[in-house]
Amino acid sequence: MPLKGDRIRLPNRAASHTASAVRICTPAKINLILRVLDRRSDGYHNLWSLMQTVALEDELRFQVRADSTELRLKCDVASLPTDRRNLVWRAAALVLDRAGLQVGLDIEITKRIPLAAGLGGGSSDAAATIVALNHLLRLGWSGGEMAQVGAALGSDVPFFFFAPSAIVRGRGEDVAAVMVTGARWVVLVHPGFPIETRWAYDRLAATREHVRPLSEQHSRFASQASLAWDDVIPLMENDFEQPLVPVYDAIRKMKARLLSEGAETALLSGSGATVFGIFRDEDSAVRAQTSVGQVRGWRAYAGRAGTASLSCQEESSDPFRVC
Ligand code: C5P
């Protein structure tokens, strides 16, 4: 990680390259396996998760401001704060601080990933912010260095630097990329209400009698460079289902509905409330999405599993393009 240097002001650095704006598309994640292990002394839980991206993406645009060193954030979702409570704002401030730069930025967020949904939308946006600023400000940080900065922002952030698929351990900072071979489609179903992550962890800790150790089959996954979908599907599970299903019957209903629509398996993602189903091909996924999306209050999305990763595109005078 570069050490903090003397604070410099734009245009010293930005003037040395052409692009003063970048746009970046950043995917949602699902947890194909999520085991929540022991609580740590810092209050967080150790995790063991097989995570993968899904092609449902937010879009962010960053533009260097010539007139001020202020961070200005705009978002198309009115309920999302646009000040330092927003993870993108905090990620941008952290990058500038670590780089020792004072740079004004205009940031625009177009949200497509549902909020507080177990899909890592906020974390993905934070990771995208680090990637975009690393590029825009020519910081030269490696993926590992960016992941280290991201770990300070949230447990799901480091994963996105190892996307599309990775095994995530510890509090989320220990990430190893893995290949998942074979193609699958994912249908995400969101029931229209959020679940707060902290509350979900507290409920899980309060309702279980003991921590089930990691299975041998899951541990074996960690030593393999690639995993086949056919081997992963029978071993998919999420520790949050047991404490959350009795509170939110919609989780059980979404799973049942996806299975009746032909999903090979269906599971809660993260701490919910999104449930996803795995499908063999695009046609059956799109059919299921259309059918499930008709349920009142539910929103459904279909996308390929594990293809999307962070991609940054420079803009010079080009108009803002939609992903
Ligand atoms: O990392 P993030 O900010 O998303 O976590 C939100 C909350 O979820 C934490 O404050 C903590 O209470 C809980 N959590 C946990 N163990 C983790 C991740 C999150 O207990 N590994």
Side-chain angles (χ1 to χ4, degrees), residues 5-29:
D6 289 338
R7 288 195 166 258
I8 61 166
R9 285 171 174 273
L10 277 188
N12 298 10
R13 278 205 184 190
S16 64
H17 59 89
T18 49
S20 63
V22 291
R23 74 179 183 95
I24 185 160
C25 292
T26 191
K29 62 82 183 166

Side-chain angles (χ1 to χ4, degrees), residues 48 167 169 176 178 214 217-225 227:
W48 195 101
I167 291 176
R169 286 175 287 201
V178 66
L214 191 65
Q217 286 160 310
H218 287 164
S219 325
R220 220 175 302 129
F221 277 171
S223 61
Q224 291 171 236
L227 306 171

Side-chain angles (χ1 to χ4, degrees), residues 28 42 67 139:
D42 60 7
D67 58 333
L139 301 179

Side-chain angles (χ1 to χ4, degrees), residues 136-316:
L136 189 61
L137 304 172
R138 300 286 194 261
L139 301 179
W141 294 351
S142 67
E145 286 170 331
M146 291 192 282
Q148 202 192 321
V149 175
L153 295 160
S155 299
D156 285 340
V157 181
F159 158 72
F160 289 95
F161 300 98
F162 298 84
S165 310
I167 291 176
V168 177
R169 286 175 287 201
R171 178 185 155 168
E173 75 292 349
D174 177 1
V175 190
V178 66
M179 277 228 321
V180 179
T181 58
R184 287 297 191 278
W185 280 71
V186 175
V187 175
L188 304 169
V189 189
H190 186 260
F193 57 80
I195 294 182
E196 201 211 331
T197 307
R198 183 191 299 258
W199 174 85
Y201 273 97
D202 287 346
R203 175 155 172 90
L204 180 143
T207 54
R208 68 179 173 184
E209 278 167 17
H210 61 272
V211 177
R212 201 160 41 90
L214 191 65
S215 74
E216 249 177 59
Q217 286 160 310
H218 287 164
S219 325
R220 220 175 302 129
F221 277 171
S223 61
Q224 291 171 236
S226 76
L227 306 171
W229 266 110
D230 287 332
D231 296 331
V232 171
I233 286 173
L235 296 177
M236 283 172 52
E237 60 172 309
N238 181 339
D239 278 344
F240 281 107
E241 286 194 345
Q242 203 174 341
L244 298 188
V245 170
V247 182
Y248 296 109
D249 194 42
I251 297 171
R252 183 190 58 76
K253 287 185 178 147
M254 290 185 288
K255 285 185 67 161
R257 182 64 188 262
L258 282 165
L259 291 171
S260 77
E261 296 289 342
E264 288 176 88
T265 189
L267 196 72
L268 184 72
S269 185
S271 56
T274 304
V275 166
F276 63 93
I278 302 291
F279 290 82
R280 281 199 173 270
D281 56 67
E282 181 174 9
D283 283 355
S284 51
V286 171
R287 264 199 310 275
Q289 179 213 359
T290 308
S291 166
V292 177
Q294 281 163 7
V295 176
R296 233 179 77 185
W298 291 4
R299 273 174 295 156
Y301 312 81
R304 197 188 272 273
T307 50
S309 55
L310 289 166
S311 56
C312 208
Q313 190 170 325
E314 278 190 8
E315 293 179 1
S316 41

Side-chain angles (χ1 to χ4, degrees), residues 7 71 84 86-101 105 107 129 133 149 153:
R7 288 195 166 258
L71 293 181
R84 62 180 64 246
N86 190 304
L87 210 50
V88 166
W89 198 101
R90 291 213 296 276
L94 184 61
V95 168
L96 296 177
D97 184 56
R98 295 269 174 114
L101 290 171
L105 293 167
I107 308 173
T129 301
L133 294 184
V149 175
L153 295 160

